[in-house]
Amino acid sequence: KQWYQRRVRDELMRSDGFNSDPRYSVENMPYLGVPLTCKEIIFCKGLTATAGLKRRIGHVCKEDADVVKGMRAAGAIIIGLTNTSELAMWWESRNPVYGYTCNPYDLRCIVGGSSGGEAAAV
C-alpha cells in the first residue's frame, strides 16, 4: 500500500496541475511534504507540551508556536514530538514525565542535552 501511495504522490507532483499551481511552488512552500519533529516543549496545536513538568501533564496546545506556524506554512508536516530535558535546561534528555531518552544503539548511553530526543529519532 505504501508503494502505491508514494507512486500516486509522485505522479501528482509531476502533473501539470500541481506544478502550475503557484501555491505549491518552491518559493511559496520550500518544505512541501518534508516530515518534521518538534521538541515536546514547542507548542504544536492539538499536541501536548509538558516541557517535562508533571504539573503540565495533559496540557494540549490550542495554537502553534510561531516557528511551527512558519514551518507548516512552508509545507512541512509535523509527524511527532520528541523528548527533552525538563524545561530544556539540562545536559541529558531526562524529565519526570517521560524519563530518560537513551541512545538507540546502546541503551547504557544517553543522547545528550535538550535535543536528545531529536538526536535519538535521527
Side-chain angles (χ1 to χ4, degrees):
K1 184 174 180 174
Q2 289 181 349
W3 67 267
Y4 177 75
Q5 291 172 339
R6 285 192 299 265
R7 192 176 91 208
V8 169
R9 180 203 59 214
D10 291 345
E11 288 174 7
L12 174 64
M13 291 180 76
R14 283 192 291 269
S15 73
D16 290 335
F18 186 83
N19 289 328
S20 64
D21 190 331
R23 292 177 298 172
Y24 303 115
S25 69
V26 173
E27 291 80 21
N28 291 329
M29 297 189 97
Y31 296 109
L32 182 62
V34 174
L36 174 73
T37 60
C38 291
K39 289 183 187 184
E40 205 264 350
I41 196 169
I42 298 174
F43 283 28
C44 296
K45 185 177 181 177
L47 301 176
T48 61
T50 67
L53 299 172
K54 283 188 174 183
R55 69 174 186 239
R56 290 183 55 92
I57 291 175
H59 172 78
V60 177
C61 302
K62 293 181 173 76
E63 63 180 290
D64 286 332
D66 288 343
V67 67
V68 175
K69 286 179 189 175
M71 290 303 290
R72 286 190 203 262
I77 301 167
I78 307 299
I79 61 169
L81 302 175
T82 57
N83 201 18
T84 184
S85 57
E86 193 172 14
L87 297 175
M89 291 181 19
W90 309 110
W91 59 276
E92 58 188 13
S93 287
R94 178 186 63 81
N95 65 63
V97 178
Y98 300 109
Y100 280 94
T101 300
C102 296
N103 180 323
Y105 294 100
D106 186 346
L107 299 179
R108 298 171 297 164
C109 299
I110 63 169
V111 289
S114 70
S115 295
E118 296 286 326
V122 174

PDB file of all heavy atoms in Angstrom, residues 42-77:
ATOM      1  N   ILE A  42       7.927  22.656  22.468  1.00  0.00           N
ATOM      2  CA  ILE A  42       7.456  23.609  21.455  1.00  0.00           C
ATOM      3  C   ILE A  42       5.973  23.353  21.190  1.00  0.00           C
ATOM      4  O   ILE A  42       5.564  22.231  20.938  1.00  0.00           O
ATOM      5  CB  ILE A  42       8.282  23.471  20.163  1.00  0.00           C
ATOM      6  CG1 ILE A  42       9.745  23.806  20.449  1.00  0.00           C
ATOM      7  CG2 ILE A  42       7.726  24.368  19.069  1.00  0.00           C
ATOM      8  CD1 ILE A  42      10.681  23.568  19.297  1.00  0.00           C
ATOM      9  N   PHE A  43       5.171  24.397  21.229  1.00  0.00           N
ATOM     10  CA  PHE A  43       3.724  24.257  21.069  1.00  0.00           C
ATOM     11  C   PHE A  43       3.336  23.881  19.643  1.00  0.00           C
ATOM     12  O   PHE A  43       3.682  24.575  18.695  1.00  0.00           O
ATOM     13  CB  PHE A  43       3.016  25.566  21.443  1.00  0.00           C
ATOM     14  CG  PHE A  43       2.900  25.809  22.918  1.00  0.00           C
ATOM     15  CD1 PHE A  43       3.812  25.298  23.815  1.00  0.00           C
ATOM     16  CD2 PHE A  43       1.862  26.563  23.414  1.00  0.00           C
ATOM     17  CE1 PHE A  43       3.699  25.518  25.176  1.00  0.00           C
ATOM     18  CE2 PHE A  43       1.730  26.799  24.772  1.00  0.00           C
ATOM     19  CZ  PHE A  43       2.651  26.277  25.657  1.00  0.00           C
ATOM     20  N   CYS A  44       2.619  22.768  19.531  1.00  0.00           N
ATOM     21  CA  CYS A  44       2.039  22.302  18.272  1.00  0.00           C
ATOM     22  C   CYS A  44       0.561  22.075  18.527  1.00  0.00           C
ATOM     23  O   CYS A  44       0.196  21.254  19.376  1.00  0.00           O
ATOM     24  CB  CYS A  44       2.689  20.995  17.821  1.00  0.00           C
ATOM     25  SG  CYS A  44       4.435  21.128  17.429  1.00  0.00           S
ATOM     26  N   LYS A  45      -0.268  22.799  17.824  1.00  0.00           N
ATOM     27  CA  LYS A  45      -1.715  22.755  18.044  1.00  0.00           C
ATOM     28  C   LYS A  45      -2.224  21.307  18.073  1.00  0.00           C
ATOM     29  O   LYS A  45      -1.949  20.510  17.195  1.00  0.00           O
ATOM     30  CB  LYS A  45      -2.434  23.534  16.947  1.00  0.00           C
ATOM     31  CG  LYS A  45      -3.926  23.631  17.157  1.00  0.00           C
ATOM     32  CD  LYS A  45      -4.570  24.468  16.081  1.00  0.00           C
ATOM     33  CE  LYS A  45      -6.066  24.583  16.322  1.00  0.00           C
ATOM     34  NZ  LYS A  45      -6.692  25.447  15.325  1.00  0.00           N
ATOM     35  N   GLY A  46      -2.969  21.007  19.148  1.00  0.00           N
ATOM     36  CA  GLY A  46      -3.570  19.686  19.299  1.00  0.00           C
ATOM     37  C   GLY A  46      -2.679  18.647  19.941  1.00  0.00           C
ATOM     38  O   GLY A  46      -3.124  17.530  20.215  1.00  0.00           O
ATOM     39  N   LEU A  47      -1.410  18.989  20.185  1.00  0.00           N
ATOM     40  CA  LEU A  47      -0.469  18.053  20.803  1.00  0.00           C
ATOM     41  C   LEU A  47      -0.085  18.555  22.194  1.00  0.00           C
ATOM     42  O   LEU A  47      -0.314  19.700  22.540  1.00  0.00           O
ATOM     43  CB  LEU A  47       0.776  17.904  19.928  1.00  0.00           C
ATOM     44  CG  LEU A  47       0.517  17.409  18.500  1.00  0.00           C
ATOM     45  CD1 LEU A  47       1.810  17.388  17.703  1.00  0.00           C
ATOM     46  CD2 LEU A  47      -0.128  16.036  18.505  1.00  0.00           C
ATOM     47  N   THR A  48       0.516  17.677  22.978  1.00  0.00           N
ATOM     48  CA  THR A  48       0.901  18.052  24.340  1.00  0.00           C
ATOM     49  C   THR A  48       2.173  18.900  24.328  1.00  0.00           C
ATOM     50  O   THR A  48       2.945  18.867  23.375  1.00  0.00           O
ATOM     51  CB  THR A  48       1.165  16.808  25.212  1.00  0.00           C
ATOM     52  OG1 THR A  48       2.242  16.071  24.644  1.00  0.00           O
ATOM     53  CG2 THR A  48      -0.076  15.946  25.323  1.00  0.00           C
ATOM     54  N   ALA A  49       2.365  19.623  25.407  1.00  0.00           N
ATOM     55  CA  ALA A  49       3.602  20.383  25.632  1.00  0.00           C
ATOM     56  C   ALA A  49       3.796  20.480  27.138  1.00  0.00           C
ATOM     57  O   ALA A  49       3.475  21.484  27.752  1.00  0.00           O
ATOM     58  CB  ALA A  49       3.541  21.756  24.995  1.00  0.00           C
ATOM     59  N   THR A  50       4.334  19.410  27.722  1.00  0.00           N
ATOM     60  CA  THR A  50       4.540  19.416  29.168  1.00  0.00           C
ATOM     61  C   THR A  50       5.837  20.099  29.567  1.00  0.00           C
ATOM     62  O   THR A  50       5.984  20.500  30.707  1.00  0.00           O
ATOM     63  CB  THR A  50       4.581  17.983  29.739  1.00  0.00           C
ATOM     64  OG1 THR A  50       5.742  17.314  29.249  1.00  0.00           O
ATOM     65  CG2 THR A  50       3.330  17.208  29.402  1.00  0.00           C
ATOM     66  N   ALA A  51       6.780  20.200  28.638  1.00  0.00           N
ATOM     67  CA  ALA A  51       8.122  20.711  28.933  1.00  0.00           C
ATOM     68  C   ALA A  51       8.800  19.854  30.000  1.00  0.00           C
ATOM     69  O   ALA A  51       9.702  20.304  30.677  1.00  0.00           O
ATOM     70  CB  ALA A  51       8.080  22.177  29.350  1.00  0.00           C
ATOM     71  N   GLY A  52       8.327  18.610  30.126  1.00  0.00           N
ATOM     72  CA  GLY A  52       8.905  17.704  31.108  1.00  0.00           C
ATOM     73  C   GLY A  52       8.455  17.952  32.529  1.00  0.00           C
ATOM     74  O   GLY A  52       9.024  17.398  33.459  1.00  0.00           O
ATOM     75  N   LEU A  53       7.440  18.771  32.737  1.00  0.00           N
ATOM     76  CA  LEU A  53       6.938  19.104  34.070  1.00  0.00           C
ATOM     77  C   LEU A  53       5.670  18.312  34.378  1.00  0.00           C
ATOM     78  O   LEU A  53       4.713  18.333  33.599  1.00  0.00           O
ATOM     79  CB  LEU A  53       6.626  20.598  34.170  1.00  0.00           C
ATOM     80  CG  LEU A  53       7.791  21.552  33.945  1.00  0.00           C
ATOM     81  CD1 LEU A  53       7.284  22.992  33.887  1.00  0.00           C
ATOM     82  CD2 LEU A  53       8.830  21.385  35.040  1.00  0.00           C
ATOM     83  N   LYS A  54       5.656  17.652  35.540  1.00  0.00           N
ATOM     84  CA  LYS A  54       4.480  16.861  35.917  1.00  0.00           C
ATOM     85  C   LYS A  54       3.213  17.702  36.005  1.00  0.00           C
ATOM     86  O   LYS A  54       2.135  17.252  35.651  1.00  0.00           O
ATOM     87  CB  LYS A  54       4.721  16.141  37.248  1.00  0.00           C
ATOM     88  CG  LYS A  54       5.607  14.935  37.116  1.00  0.00           C
ATOM     89  CD  LYS A  54       5.642  14.161  38.410  1.00  0.00           C
ATOM     90  CE  LYS A  54       6.409  12.876  38.209  1.00  0.00           C
ATOM     91  NZ  LYS A  54       6.414  12.060  39.417  1.00  0.00           N
ATOM     92  N   ARG A  55       3.339  18.938  36.453  1.00  0.00           N
ATOM     93  CA  ARG A  55       2.136  19.761  36.613  1.00  0.00           C
ATOM     94  C   ARG A  55       1.517  20.164  35.277  1.00  0.00           C
ATOM     95  O   ARG A  55       0.412  20.670  35.231  1.00  0.00           O
ATOM     96  CB  ARG A  55       2.431  20.988  37.465  1.00  0.00           C
ATOM     97  CG  ARG A  55       3.322  21.997  36.800  1.00  0.00           C
ATOM     98  CD  ARG A  55       3.436  23.256  37.655  1.00  0.00           C
ATOM     99  NE  ARG A  55       4.165  24.264  36.956  1.00  0.00           N
ATOM    100  CZ  ARG A  55       5.277  24.813  37.380  1.00  0.00           C
ATOM    101  NH1 ARG A  55       5.780  24.464  38.536  1.00  0.00           N
ATOM    102  NH2 ARG A  55       5.885  25.729  36.674  1.00  0.00           N
ATOM    103  N   ARG A  56       2.234  19.926  34.163  1.00  0.00           N
ATOM    104  CA  ARG A  56       1.694  20.241  32.842  1.00  0.00           C
ATOM    105  C   ARG A  56       1.184  19.002  32.098  1.00  0.00           C
ATOM    106  O   ARG A  56       0.794  19.096  30.933  1.00  0.00           O
ATOM    107  CB  ARG A  56       2.741  20.958  31.999  1.00  0.00           C
ATOM    108  CG  ARG A  56       3.003  22.370  32.516  1.00  0.00           C
ATOM    109  CD  ARG A  56       3.979  23.116  31.643  1.00  0.00           C
ATOM    110  NE  ARG A  56       3.595  23.162  30.254  1.00  0.00           N
ATOM    111  CZ  ARG A  56       2.870  24.135  29.691  1.00  0.00           C
ATOM    112  NH1 ARG A  56       2.451  25.149  30.406  1.00  0.00           N
ATOM    113  NH2 ARG A  56       2.600  24.101  28.407  1.00  0.00           N
ATOM    114  N   ILE A  57       1.154  17.863  32.764  1.00  0.00           N
ATOM    115  CA  ILE A  57       0.618  16.652  32.125  1.00  0.00           C
ATOM    116  C   ILE A  57      -0.822  16.916  31.703  1.00  0.00           C
ATOM    117  O   ILE A  57      -1.619  17.441  32.463  1.00  0.00           O
ATOM    118  CB  ILE A  57       0.706  15.438  33.075  1.00  0.00           C
ATOM    119  CG1 ILE A  57       2.165  15.040  33.276  1.00  0.00           C
ATOM    120  CG2 ILE A  57      -0.099  14.259  32.530  1.00  0.00           C
ATOM    121  CD1 ILE A  57       2.376  13.926  34.296  1.00  0.00           C
ATOM    122  N   GLY A  58      -1.133  16.570  30.490  1.00  0.00           N
ATOM    123  CA  GLY A  58      -2.478  16.778  29.968  1.00  0.00           C
ATOM    124  C   GLY A  58      -2.682  18.104  29.271  1.00  0.00           C
ATOM    125  O   GLY A  58      -3.728  18.333  28.667  1.00  0.00           O
ATOM    126  N   HIS A  59      -1.682  18.989  29.326  1.00  0.00           N
ATOM    127  CA  HIS A  59      -1.809  20.282  28.643  1.00  0.00           C
ATOM    128  C   HIS A  59      -1.751  20.052  27.133  1.00  0.00           C
ATOM    129  O   HIS A  59      -0.784  19.529  26.603  1.00  0.00           O
ATOM    130  CB  HIS A  59      -0.686  21.237  29.052  1.00  0.00           C
ATOM    131  CG  HIS A  59      -0.667  22.499  28.246  1.00  0.00           C
ATOM    132  ND1 HIS A  59      -1.543  23.531  28.474  1.00  0.00           N
ATOM    133  CD2 HIS A  59       0.098  22.877  27.198  1.00  0.00           C
ATOM    134  CE1 HIS A  59      -1.309  24.498  27.609  1.00  0.00           C
ATOM    135  NE2 HIS A  59      -0.317  24.120  26.817  1.00  0.00           N
ATOM    136  N   VAL A  60      -2.810  20.427  26.445  1.00  0.00           N
ATOM    137  CA  VAL A  60      -2.866  20.307  24.993  1.00  0.00           C
ATOM    138  C   VAL A  60      -2.829  21.720  24.405  1.00  0.00           C
ATOM    139  O   VAL A  60      -3.584  22.594  24.831  1.00  0.00           O
ATOM    140  CB  VAL A  60      -4.142  19.563  24.544  1.00  0.00           C
ATOM    141  CG1 VAL A  60      -4.230  19.507  23.028  1.00  0.00           C
ATOM    142  CG2 VAL A  60      -4.163  18.152  25.134  1.00  0.00           C
ATOM    143  N   CYS A  61      -1.959  21.934  23.461  1.00  0.00           N
ATOM    144  CA  CYS A  61      -1.764  23.267  22.886  1.00  0.00           C
ATOM    145  C   CYS A  61      -2.968  23.680  22.037  1.00  0.00           C
ATOM    146  O   CYS A  61      -3.472  22.905  21.234  1.00  0.00           O
ATOM    147  CB  CYS A  61      -0.510  23.274  22.024  1.00  0.00           C
ATOM    148  SG  CYS A  61       0.958  22.801  22.935  1.00  0.00           S
ATOM    149  N   LYS A  62      -3.385  24.914  22.224  1.00  0.00           N
ATOM    150  CA  LYS A  62      -4.509  25.462  21.469  1.00  0.00           C
ATOM    151  C   LYS A  62      -4.066  26.109  20.162  1.00  0.00           C
ATOM    152  O   LYS A  62      -4.869  26.336  19.274  1.00  0.00           O
ATOM    153  CB  LYS A  62      -5.273  26.463  22.330  1.00  0.00           C
ATOM    154  CG  LYS A  62      -5.968  25.815  23.513  1.00  0.00           C
ATOM    155  CD  LYS A  62      -6.737  26.846  24.310  1.00  0.00           C
ATOM    156  CE  LYS A  62      -7.580  26.218  25.383  1.00  0.00           C
ATOM    157  NZ  LYS A  62      -6.891  25.771  26.537  1.00  0.00           N
ATOM    158  N   GLU A  63      -2.775  26.413  20.063  1.00  0.00           N
ATOM    159  CA  GLU A  63      -2.256  27.000  18.831  1.00  0.00           C
ATOM    160  C   GLU A  63      -0.790  26.625  18.663  1.00  0.00           C
ATOM    161  O   GLU A  63      -0.143  26.165  19.597  1.00  0.00           O
ATOM    162  CB  GLU A  63      -2.430  28.518  18.818  1.00  0.00           C
ATOM    163  CG  GLU A  63      -1.682  29.256  19.902  1.00  0.00           C
ATOM    164  CD  GLU A  63      -1.910  30.758  19.822  1.00  0.00           C
ATOM    165  OE1 GLU A  63      -1.412  31.378  18.863  1.00  0.00           O
ATOM    166  OE2 GLU A  63      -2.595  31.283  20.702  1.00  0.00           O
ATOM    167  N   ASP A  64      -0.289  26.827  17.464  1.00  0.00           N
ATOM    168  CA  ASP A  64       1.108  26.545  17.156  1.00  0.00           C
ATOM    169  C   ASP A  64       2.012  27.671  17.627  1.00  0.00           C
ATOM    170  O   ASP A  64       1.611  28.839  17.613  1.00  0.00           O
ATOM    171  CB  ASP A  64       1.307  26.410  15.640  1.00  0.00           C
ATOM    172  CG  ASP A  64       0.757  25.116  15.068  1.00  0.00           C
ATOM    173  OD1 ASP A  64       0.696  24.116  15.794  1.00  0.00           O
ATOM    174  OD2 ASP A  64       0.413  25.113  13.870  1.00  0.00           O
ATOM    175  N   ALA A  65       3.239  27.313  17.993  1.00  0.00           N
ATOM    176  CA  ALA A  65       4.275  28.325  18.227  1.00  0.00           C
ATOM    177  C   ALA A  65       4.573  28.989  16.885  1.00  0.00           C
ATOM    178  O   ALA A  65       4.318  28.409  15.820  1.00  0.00           O
ATOM    179  CB  ALA A  65       5.531  27.659  18.781  1.00  0.00           C
ATOM    180  N   ASP A  66       5.113  30.190  16.917  1.00  0.00           N
ATOM    181  CA  ASP A  66       5.401  30.919  15.677  1.00  0.00           C
ATOM    182  C   ASP A  66       6.281  30.111  14.729  1.00  0.00           C
ATOM    183  O   ASP A  66       6.046  30.088  13.521  1.00  0.00           O
ATOM    184  CB  ASP A  66       6.056  32.266  15.985  1.00  0.00           C
ATOM    185  CG  ASP A  66       5.081  33.268  16.581  1.00  0.00           C
ATOM    186  OD1 ASP A  66       3.849  33.054  16.471  1.00  0.00           O
ATOM    187  OD2 ASP A  66       5.546  34.264  17.161  1.00  0.00           O
ATOM    188  N   VAL A  67       7.293  29.438  15.260  1.00  0.00           N
ATOM    189  CA  VAL A  67       8.190  28.655  14.397  1.00  0.00           C
ATOM    190  C   VAL A  67       7.432  27.507  13.736  1.00  0.00           C
ATOM    191  O   VAL A  67       7.663  27.193  12.572  1.00  0.00           O
ATOM    192  CB  VAL A  67       9.427  28.158  15.184  1.00  0.00           C
ATOM    193  CG1 VAL A  67       9.043  27.135  16.244  1.00  0.00           C
ATOM    194  CG2 VAL A  67      10.468  27.594  14.242  1.00  0.00           C
ATOM    195  N   VAL A  68       6.499  26.897  14.440  1.00  0.00           N
ATOM    196  CA  VAL A  68       5.704  25.806  13.870  1.00  0.00           C
ATOM    197  C   VAL A  68       4.752  26.347  12.808  1.00  0.00           C
ATOM    198  O   VAL A  68       4.595  25.755  11.734  1.00  0.00           O
ATOM    199  CB  VAL A  68       4.937  25.044  14.969  1.00  0.00           C
ATOM    200  CG1 VAL A  68       4.015  23.992  14.382  1.00  0.00           C
ATOM    201  CG2 VAL A  68       5.914  24.403  15.949  1.00  0.00           C
ATOM    202  N   LYS A  69       4.143  27.495  13.072  1.00  0.00           N
ATOM    203  CA  LYS A  69       3.274  28.130  12.063  1.00  0.00           C
ATOM    204  C   LYS A  69       4.058  28.376  10.776  1.00  0.00           C
ATOM    205  O   LYS A  69       3.569  28.114   9.676  1.00  0.00           O
ATOM    206  CB  LYS A  69       2.737  29.469  12.579  1.00  0.00           C
ATOM    207  CG  LYS A  69       1.659  29.352  13.612  1.00  0.00           C
ATOM    208  CD  LYS A  69       1.215  30.744  14.073  1.00  0.00           C
ATOM    209  CE  LYS A  69       0.292  30.662  15.261  1.00  0.00           C
ATOM    210  NZ  LYS A  69      -0.050  31.977  15.794  1.00  0.00           N
ATOM    211  N   GLY A  70       5.270  28.877  10.924  1.00  0.00           N
ATOM    212  CA  GLY A  70       6.096  29.160   9.755  1.00  0.00           C
ATOM    213  C   GLY A  70       6.463  27.906   8.982  1.00  0.00           C
ATOM    214  O   GLY A  70       6.409  27.882   7.749  1.00  0.00           O
ATOM    215  N   MET A  71       6.828  26.843   9.699  1.00  0.00           N
ATOM    216  CA  MET A  71       7.191  25.600   9.028  1.00  0.00           C
ATOM    217  C   MET A  71       5.991  24.961   8.343  1.00  0.00           C
ATOM    218  O   MET A  71       6.096  24.450   7.233  1.00  0.00           O
ATOM    219  CB  MET A  71       7.837  24.633  10.018  1.00  0.00           C
ATOM    220  CG  MET A  71       9.211  25.068  10.484  1.00  0.00           C
ATOM    221  SD  MET A  71      10.396  25.335   9.145  1.00  0.00           S
ATOM    222  CE  MET A  71      10.663  23.662   8.581  1.00  0.00           C
ATOM    223  N   ARG A  72       4.830  24.990   9.013  1.00  0.00           N
ATOM    224  CA  ARG A  72       3.615  24.447   8.367  1.00  0.00           C
ATOM    225  C   ARG A  72       3.261  25.251   7.122  1.00  0.00           C
ATOM    226  O   ARG A  72       2.903  24.689   6.093  1.00  0.00           O
ATOM    227  CB  ARG A  72       2.444  24.466   9.342  1.00  0.00           C
ATOM    228  CG  ARG A  72       2.512  23.407  10.430  1.00  0.00           C
ATOM    229  CD  ARG A  72       1.174  23.373  11.161  1.00  0.00           C
ATOM    230  NE  ARG A  72       1.215  22.835  12.478  1.00  0.00           N
ATOM    231  CZ  ARG A  72       0.898  21.573  12.800  1.00  0.00           C
ATOM    232  NH1 ARG A  72       0.558  20.716  11.860  1.00  0.00           N
ATOM    233  NH2 ARG A  72       0.927  21.180  14.055  1.00  0.00           N
ATOM    234  N   ALA A  73       3.379  26.577   7.214  1.00  0.00           N
ATOM    235  CA  ALA A  73       3.080  27.432   6.063  1.00  0.00           C
ATOM    236  C   ALA A  73       4.031  27.146   4.906  1.00  0.00           C
ATOM    237  O   ALA A  73       3.662  27.285   3.744  1.00  0.00           O
ATOM    238  CB  ALA A  73       3.156  28.905   6.461  1.00  0.00           C
ATOM    239  N   ALA A  74       5.249  26.711   5.225  1.00  0.00           N
ATOM    240  CA  ALA A  74       6.232  26.370   4.209  1.00  0.00           C
ATOM    241  C   ALA A  74       6.057  24.948   3.692  1.00  0.00           C
ATOM    242  O   ALA A  74       6.830  24.491   2.849  1.00  0.00           O
ATOM    243  CB  ALA A  74       7.637  26.571   4.752  1.00  0.00           C
ATOM    244  N   GLY A  75       5.041  24.227   4.209  1.00  0.00           N
ATOM    245  CA  GLY A  75       4.721  22.900   3.694  1.00  0.00           C
ATOM    246  C   GLY A  75       5.174  21.727   4.532  1.00  0.00           C
ATOM    247  O   GLY A  75       4.897  20.581   4.195  1.00  0.00           O
ATOM    248  N   ALA A  76       5.903  21.969   5.623  1.00  0.00           N
ATOM    249  CA  ALA A  76       6.377  20.868   6.469  1.00  0.00           C
ATOM    250  C   ALA A  76       5.206  20.170   7.157  1.00  0.00           C
ATOM    251  O   ALA A  76       4.157  20.761   7.386  1.00  0.00           O
ATOM    252  CB  ALA A  76       7.360  21.389   7.510  1.00  0.00           C
ATOM    253  N   ILE A  77       5.400  18.898   7.486  1.00  0.00           N
ATOM    254  CA  ILE A  77       4.378  18.085   8.139  1.00  0.00           C
ATOM    255  C   ILE A  77       4.916  17.649   9.497  1.00  0.00           C
ATOM    256  O   ILE A  77       5.946  16.967   9.564  1.00  0.00           O
ATOM    257  CB  ILE A  77       4.049  16.848   7.298  1.00  0.00           C
ATOM    258  CG1 ILE A  77       3.562  17.271   5.913  1.00  0.00           C
ATOM    259  CG2 ILE A  77       3.021  15.973   7.998  1.00  0.00           C
ATOM    260  CD1 ILE A  77       3.504  16.132   4.923  1.00  0.00           C
TER     261      ILE A  77
END
